[in-house]
Amino acid sequence: MAVHQSTHRGSGFRLPSFRRNGANSATGAASSQADVLTARAYVFASARVLMGFVFLWAFLDKTFGFGYATASGKGWVDGGSPTEGFLGHVAVGPMESTFHAWAGAAWADGLFMLGLLGIGLALTAGVALRLAAVAGSVMMALMWVAEWPPARHLSDGSASMSTNPFADYHVVYAVVLIVLAVVSAGDALGLGRWWARLPVVRDHAWLR
């Protein structure tokens, strides 16, 4: 009887072994989830850096005239206006005359270039992403209105060549900026964690 019981126990199911397997499974699941979160953080961080370069390049090209969007010798440092060419040629939309009045104004040039530089640096460094998202979204909204994608014809009656009445790249950029701020994309490949620990940032969440 005693031998039979011993044999039965030895060949039966062991609860401690089950617990160890469960612990290993839980550890593996947690590790897998952490890997996914880490990969996601680096994807957002990569998008953030690329967006930062978009704004920084626009600032540099308009400042020094590298010959891309801004012709050589027409840069801001050469006396050229970063806004005159774009705003002066607005030919459609409800703010057409307003943009013409703004074109080439010193205050418009200064604010536009400051915005490009500030947003570009914030995105690249991974700091003040909420401010960058607000400023960038306002800039994209104004540029969207200047191009006015809903119009099929310009003021002179010619075709506007708009490819989409709403979702052009200005809208996409604005949405990306907002998403990067919401997910705190500066925490990876950036100075976001250090920035968040600064006393002034802790006291004023909008600086985050």
Side-chain angles (χ1 to χ4, degrees):
M1 183 67 172
V3 173
H4 176 73
Q5 289 176 345
S6 175
T7 302
H8 176 73
R9 289 174 182 173
S11 61
F13 178 72
R14 295 182 179 180
L15 187 58
S17 176
F18 171 77
R19 288 177 177 173
R20 285 197 298 271
N21 290 339
N24 290 338
S25 298
T27 301
S31 177
S32 177
Q33 184 177 10
D35 290 342
V36 170
L37 293 175
T38 299
R40 186 179 302 168
Y42 280 105
V43 168
F44 281 121
S46 299
R48 188 201 80 234
V49 173
L50 287 174
M51 282 296 297
F53 182 71
V54 169
F55 285 89
L56 281 181
W57 176 258
F59 171 81
L60 294 172
D61 184 57
K62 293 180 183 300
T63 299
F64 301 106
F66 290 147
Y68 288 88
T70 305
S72 180
K74 300 292 185 179
W76 200 23
V77 297
D78 301 310
S81 170
T83 62
E84 185 173 8
F86 178 66
L87 295 182
H89 290 86
V90 172
V92 68
M95 294 184 64
E96 180 179 351
S97 59
T98 301
F99 286 135
H100 288 171
W102 291 357
W107 66 267
D109 290 343
L111 283 178
F112 180 57
M113 295 300 281
L114 180 62
L116 289 178
L117 178 61
I119 296 168
L121 290 177
L123 289 172
T124 304
V127 302
L129 295 184
R130 294 181 181 179
L131 283 175
V134 172
S137 295
V138 171
M139 181 182 291
M140 292 299 105
L142 288 172
M143 295 178 71
W144 186 87
V145 172
E147 295 191 6
W148 201 244
R152 288 182 292 178
H153 298 89
L154 303 179
S155 298
D156 61 3
S158 60
S160 67
M161 305 301 291
S162 175
T163 59
N164 191 301
F166 175 72
D168 74 340
Y169 72 96
H170 298 105
V171 176
V172 175
Y173 282 4
V175 171
V176 170
L177 289 173
I178 294 170
V179 170
L180 293 176
V182 169
V183 302
S184 299
D187 291 352
L189 300 178
L191 303 175
R193 294 184 185 278
W194 167 80
W195 178 260
R197 289 195 297 267
L198 295 177
V200 65
V201 178
R202 288 203 306 266
D203 295 339
H204 302 86
W206 56 272
L207 293 174
R208 181 70 171 83

